[in-house]
Amino acid sequence: MDAVLFDMDGVIVDSEEFWHEIEDEVIFADVVAGAPPPRDEITGMNYREIYDYLAAEYEVTVDKDEFVAIYQDAAEEIYTENVSVMPRFDALLDTLRDRGVAVAIVSSSPQSWIAMVRERFGIEPLDLVLSAEDIDGPGKPEPAIYETAAERLRLDPEDCAVVEDSTNGARSARRAGTYVVGYRTETNADADLSPADTVVEGPTELRKELLARTDSER
């Protein structure tokens, strides 16, 4: 692998558990009329596109501006106060860089949310930081974001490994033609990661998988 592209939410930081609380207590309770959708349907999608999806497939009770405001109001507290970073993530990035492997964040979250995480945990330097809101095309589960990431790194998608924790993210990376590592934790224990080429349990297995696929002789 010439590059490793990390999803942020649920991979670099454990934010999904906090977003799930908001979705259960507010989004599904107050925004969607009737039975809520299965979580896999929306996890990994850009929050603006989540509204479009829910409005198309379900009955919603608020407009898009109200919906977006719920996410924006919650983001700062989640990313600056609540989340924890993956154990030894800095060491993993250092080892990948030492091997000449490009490292990137490719996320459905906007750049402002990614910046909160990077600043709080000192995630620097990076070869690319790409948000779904930066691309001219649909976000995950469509492949555009990972196709764009590979293009900006001047690599073929097949030379990139992607680390994803959600069904939509894994589908996006698979459709783009990358090597997909499904990242399993307690939070996404029931997520369908079948689109991934391999599934690892936690940070130790992830490190072993990524380092095994990089060339230490670079």
Side-chain angles (χ1 to χ4, degrees):
M1 298 292 111
D2 293 321
V4 179
L5 317 180
F6 293 92
D7 176 42
M8 183 178 77
D9 294 283
V11 175
I12 298 175
V13 291
D14 57 352
S15 51
E16 292 293 13
E17 62 179 285
F18 301 106
W19 284 120
H20 290 174
E21 289 179 11
I22 291 171
E23 288 160 359
D24 289 342
E25 296 173 7
V26 179
I27 303 298
F28 295 153
D30 300 335
V31 173
V32 179
R39 191 175 301 286
D40 274 1
E41 288 188 15
I42 65 167
T43 300
M45 296 173 65
N46 176 267
Y47 69 118
R48 297 178 187 273
E49 292 182 330
I50 290 175
Y51 181 86
D52 297 335
Y53 176 82
L54 293 176
E57 301 294 331
Y58 299 87
E59 180 183 351
V60 295
T61 58
V62 301
D63 63 23
K64 190 169 185 176
D65 287 343
E66 291 179 78
F67 184 88
V68 167
I70 293 170
Y71 278 86
Q72 290 177 332
D73 289 346
E76 184 169 1
E77 179 178 352
I78 287 175
Y79 293 116
T80 65
E81 299 180 22
N82 295 345
V83 298
S84 299
V85 71
M86 179 194 297
R88 294 185 53 77
F89 184 64
D90 55 346
L92 174 59
L93 294 191
D94 286 343
T95 302
L96 291 171
R97 294 187 194 103
D98 288 345
R99 295 187 176 192
V101 178
V103 291
I105 294 176
V106 180
S107 174
S108 294
S109 292
Q111 287 284 359
S112 59
W113 298 3
I114 300 171
M116 293 180 200
V117 171
R118 293 174 64 194
E119 180 177 354
R120 181 179 176 191
F121 298 110
I123 303 174
E124 297 289 353
L126 294 167
D127 296 280
L128 177 69
V129 179
L130 186 65
S131 163
E133 297 186 352
D134 298 332
I135 67 172
D136 184 17
K140 304 171 187 179
E142 299 306 315
I145 190 168
Y146 283 115
E147 293 171 340
T148 301
E151 180 181 356
R152 293 192 183 181
L153 290 168
R154 299 183 180 180
L155 295 171
D156 292 330
E158 65 185 16
D159 294 323
C160 301
V162 169
V163 185
E164 274 283 359
D165 71 308
S166 69
T167 305
N168 286 320
R171 284 176 179 162
S172 173
R174 183 63 176 265
R175 290 168 178 172
T178 69
Y179 180 81
V180 188
V181 181
Y183 185 65
R184 181 82 71 190
T185 64
E186 290 183 6
T187 302
N188 70 336
D190 297 326
D192 177 11
L193 296 179
S194 60
D197 293 284
T198 189
V199 176
V200 299
E201 300 279 348
T204 300
E205 286 190 16
L206 175 63
R207 179 183 177 86
K208 290 179 180 178
E209 170 65 20
L210 294 179
L211 298 189
R213 303 196 68 84
T214 60
D215 181 4
S216 61
E217 299 302 320
R218 289 171 188 268

